[in-house]
Amino acid sequence: MRTLPNTLFRYCTIAVCAVVVANGCMLNRAPIVASAGRVEPAQYCPGDTLTASYDFLRFTHDGICVPRDGVAMDCERSAPNVTISSSPVLFPSVTLRSYVNRVDFPASGDRVDVSFAYGNTNVFIPPTTLLQNVLDNTVTATRIIGALETSLPHMGNCAAGFAVPTYAGVEVGSTPAISPNLGLVGICNPASNGVSVNYTLVGAAPGEAYTLTLAPGSCQSTSAPGVPAFAATAQRIDAAPIALMCGPGGNGVTSPQPIAPPLSTLIQRACH
């Protein structure tokens, strides 16, 4: 009698395997490394709209749910119940039954914690994906106070036969993690560059360009006298270092060409 549970387990396992083989597919057990819930932007400005979202389909191979043959409403019935709430309460707590969804809400205060409760530790996505160890998670977004400093490296090139390197411009635009309502308030030539640099701020409109020269370690405010208004919304920064030379190297064909010295721009951005 003591062997009966083991026997039943073995028979059940065989039966499950038979069904899987009959359907012509294998169950893909994929553990979640990162939780599904997120809040963007994670750093916001007053007046921003924040988005709390989750996406279980991004953990699948092709990013879609495909109903199994003969299983009506398979994707709708297999989808998890996800409860989204915030502290402080910036939107009513809501429970959504879907693999992908979002809640938009206005930013307020200095911080908001958004909680995602998934109702189950396993999520099945037809036809074959089983997400295991699904854990409830809380994501924090904070208000931007003061100025954010970001170092932007320029891609450099030392073309064969030329001793002076050239550098590509860098985009000033924000990322999903940072508020789109940031304006450029300052530009700096890091001391690590070691030389003076001619910087050109390029605006969105044709012909908008403003050039200034900064010594190593110096900065320029975009609100300083003589700086055009479009500088605060510049889209790109070009950099041309003064008296910076390429290192030793070959012609790039029979031997490696020189490597351009590193060059970066430090920008300061604040909420409008």
Side-chain angles (χ1 to χ4, degrees):
M1 294 297 292
R2 285 181 296 178
T3 62
L4 182 58
N6 291 334
T7 302
L8 290 175
F9 177 78
R10 184 169 66 253
Y11 287 162
C12 290
T13 301
I14 293 173
V16 171
C17 291
V19 171
V20 172
V21 173
N23 288 333
C25 60
M26 295 295 291
L27 189 64
N28 173 30
R29 298 179 181 272
I32 287 185
V33 177
S35 297
R38 62 181 66 181
V39 177
E40 294 177 337
Q43 295 178 283
Y44 58 85
C45 288
D48 279 355
T49 294
L50 304 185
T51 298
S53 65
Y54 63 91
D55 182 0
F56 284 104
L57 297 183
R58 67 188 176 96
F59 296 105
T60 66
H61 174 69
D62 49 14
I64 58 176
C65 176
V66 180
R68 292 165 292 180
D69 292 341
V71 184
M73 303 291 289
D74 196 15
C75 289
E76 291 80 0
R77 293 176 178 175
S78 299
N81 288 313
V82 181
T83 300
I84 307 177
S85 58
S86 72
S87 178
V89 179
L90 300 184
F91 60 91
S93 176
V94 59
T95 298
L96 307 165
R97 186 165 190 175
S98 58
Y99 291 111
V100 181
N101 225 315
R102 59 185 285 173
V103 173
D104 296 327
F105 61 97
S108 179
D110 293 339
R111 166 182 174 146
V112 59
D113 297 316
V114 179
S115 298
F116 298 83
Y118 304 111
N120 204 328
T121 56
N122 296 323
V123 173
F124 175 60
I125 305 175
T128 60
T129 300
L130 177 63
L131 301 176
Q132 298 178 296
N133 301 320
V134 179
L135 302 177
D136 297 347
N137 70 298
T138 298
V139 182
T140 298
T142 57
R143 180 171 70 90
I144 296 171
I145 300 175
L148 292 180
E149 289 193 342
T150 305
S151 179
L152 302 175
H154 295 263
M155 295 287 292
N157 179 49
C158 283
F162 292 90
V164 179
T166 57
Y167 292 87
V170 291
E171 300 296 325
V172 181
S174 62
T175 68
I178 301 177
S179 171
N181 294 316
L182 287 177
L184 186 67
V185 296
I187 177 173
C188 301
N189 177 12
S192 58
N193 285 338
V195 296
S196 295
V197 178
N198 289 325
Y199 287 109
T200 300
L201 306 181
V202 181
E208 285 187 338
Y210 171 72
T211 299
L212 68 157
T213 302
L214 294 177
S218 63
C219 300
Q220 174 69 65
S221 169
T222 57
S223 61
V227 179
F230 77 81
T233 57
Q235 306 291 299
R236 191 182 78 243
I237 300 177
D238 295 334
I242 299 173
L244 192 62
M245 307 297 289
C246 292
N251 58 15
V253 179
T254 59
S255 57
Q257 69 183 43
I259 297 176
L263 186 77
S264 63
T265 300
L266 183 69
I267 62 172
Q268 299 166 334
R269 289 178 294 171
C271 295
H272 289 306

